[in-house]
Amino acid sequence: MHKYWLRQSGIEGDYVPLHVSAADLETVLRALPKMGFVGANVTIPHKERALEIADSVSARAAEIGAANTLFFNEDGEITAYNTDGYGFITNIRTNAPTWNAVDAPALILGAGGAARAVISALLDAGSPHIYLGNRTRARAEYLAAQFGSQVQVIEWDAISDSIHDVGLIVNTTARGMNGQDDLILPFEQAKSDVIVNDLVYTPLQTGFLRDAERCGLTAIDGLGMLIYQGVPGFQKWFGGNPKVDNALREVLLR
Ligand code: NAP
C-alpha cells in the first residue's frame, strides 16, 4: 500500500517489513531514525509496548492504550499515534455516507485491541450507546469500564437480543477469518438501514457479510479500514495526499 502511494506520488522511499522480537523492540526503534527511517507501523504484539517506549503519545493513542503508527523527528524522538479508529470510521463514512453515529446505538462484537479503537472512534463520533458482547465476558467488562456508562456489556449468548435496536453492527472478533467458523446473527430482525461491518479481511467476503447482504443490509468489508488507517501515517512520513481508490484495492487484493 505504501509502496503504491510512494510510486503514485513520485517519492523516492520505501516501506519494509522488519521482524523484531519483543526483547529488542526499544533497541530497534531507537536505531531506526539513525538509519534514515522517518517512522514505522507496529503491530501485534508490539502495540502496547511501543506506547511505553515513545517520547510522546497522542491523546487518541493514550485513550486506546496502544500505538500502530510511529513518527521519528530529526532528533530521533518517537511520537506514537493510533490511526485504527480513524481507519474504521473513515471506512464506514465513505461506504455509507448517510450513516451518522448519533442516530442509533451500535453493537460491537469482540473486546480485543481492535474493539478498543472502534469504540473510541464511535464515542468520538457521538454514538449514543454501544452494546458490547464478547465470548469472554470479563474482557468486555474490563474494556467497558474504561469508556464509561455509554458502553453496555451484553451476554455473548444474547447478542441477537439488541440487533433490532442498532444502526451499526461491527464484528471485531477473529471469527470468520480463514479457517474459523462464521459469526451468525439473525440479520432479518435488524432495521433495514443497518450498516454491517466486518474487520476481518481474509477472506474479504466473510459469511457474516454475505448473510447481511442477503437480508438487504449494507455490508462493508475490512480492507477499507486497513487502507484508511495507513493514510495519516503516509502523510506524516512522506507528506502529500495518498489517494484511496479502486486501483489501490485491486493492487492489495492481488
Ligand atoms: P485480539 O486483541 O486478539 O482480540 C481478538 C478478539 O476476537 C477477542 O474479542 C476474542 O474473544 C475474539 N475471538 C477470537 N476467536 C473467537 C471465537 N472463536 N469466537 C468468538 N470470539 C473470538 O485481536 P484484535 O487486534 O482485536 O483483532 C481482531 C480481528 O480484527 C482480527 O481478525 C484482525 O485481523 C481484525 N483487525 C482488522 C483491522 C483492519 O484494518 N481491518 C484492524 C485491526 C484488527 P476472547 O476475548 O473471548 O478471546
Side-chain angles (χ1 to χ4, degrees):
M1 179 169 77
H2 288 287
K3 282 173 190 280
Y4 174 88
W5 282 331
L6 284 166
R7 267 199 313 276
Q8 291 278 311
S9 316
I11 296 170
E12 214 180 307
D14 210 348
Y15 183 93
V16 293
L18 299 172
H19 187 86
V20 181
S21 73
D24 292 336
L25 185 63
E26 179 152 22
T27 310
V28 170
L29 288 180
R30 292 293 171 199
L32 287 179
K34 297 178 186 158
M35 297 160 66
F37 283 76
V38 289
N41 283 128
V42 280
T43 189
I44 293 170
H46 298 318
K47 290 176 123 175
E48 286 85 12
R49 179 74 186 116
L51 205 64
E52 293 166 5
I53 294 169
D55 301 297
S56 56
V57 171
S58 74
R60 180 52 60 90
E63 183 184 60
I64 295 172
N68 73 334
T69 302
L70 306 177
F71 177 73
F72 309 144
N73 72 10
E74 292 113 39
D75 300 325
E77 287 166 343
I78 302 169
T79 307
Y81 299 90
N82 192 309
T83 64
D84 281 336
Y86 168 84
F88 159 75
I89 208 95
T90 307
N91 188 33
I92 302 291
R93 285 181 173 147
T94 306
N95 289 289
T98 58
W99 174 82
N100 191 337
V102 304
D103 289 342
L107 171 61
I108 307 300
L109 311 172
R116 192 180 283 264
V118 165
I119 291 171
S120 165
L122 282 174
L123 291 177
D124 199 45
S127 181
H129 196 78
I130 293 174
Y131 298 104
L132 176 64
N134 193 48
R135 179 181 59 178
T136 309
R137 186 179 168 111
R139 209 170 167 195
E141 300 275 11
Y142 179 75
L143 188 56
Q146 292 173 7
F147 285 105
S149 59
Q150 268 164 287
V151 181
Q152 177 191 346
V153 176
I154 56 172
E155 278 298 325
W156 183 245
D157 293 338
I159 47 178
S160 303
D161 293 356
S162 48
I163 200 168
H164 55 273
D165 190 26
V166 299
L168 174 73
I169 302 171
V170 187
N171 174 33
T172 79
T173 77
R175 278 279 290 274
M177 270 176 90
N178 290 328
Q180 287 226 35
D181 289 346
D182 282 311
L183 262 183
I184 295 177
L185 282 192
F187 287 121
E188 63 282 357
Q189 294 174 23
K191 290 188 284 195
S192 61
D193 61 349
V194 165
I195 311 297
V196 178
N197 174 220
D198 203 333
L199 298 203
V200 171
Y201 52 85
T202 49
L204 199 56
Q205 175 76 311
T206 58
F208 184 72
L209 292 181
R210 244 192 331 269
D211 287 351
E213 264 176 7
R214 220 175 277 137
C215 289
L217 307 180
T218 302
I220 302 176
D221 67 54
L223 187 60
M225 173 172 169
L226 180 73
I227 295 174
Y228 285 112
Q229 65 75 32
V231 170
F234 187 92
Q235 286 170 330
K236 274 185 209 311
W237 302 326
F238 304 114
N241 208 6
K243 228 167 69 192
V244 177
D245 53 18
N246 272 334
L248 171 60
R249 267 181 79 90
E250 288 306 317
V251 167
L252 295 180
L253 290 174
R254 266 208 305 279

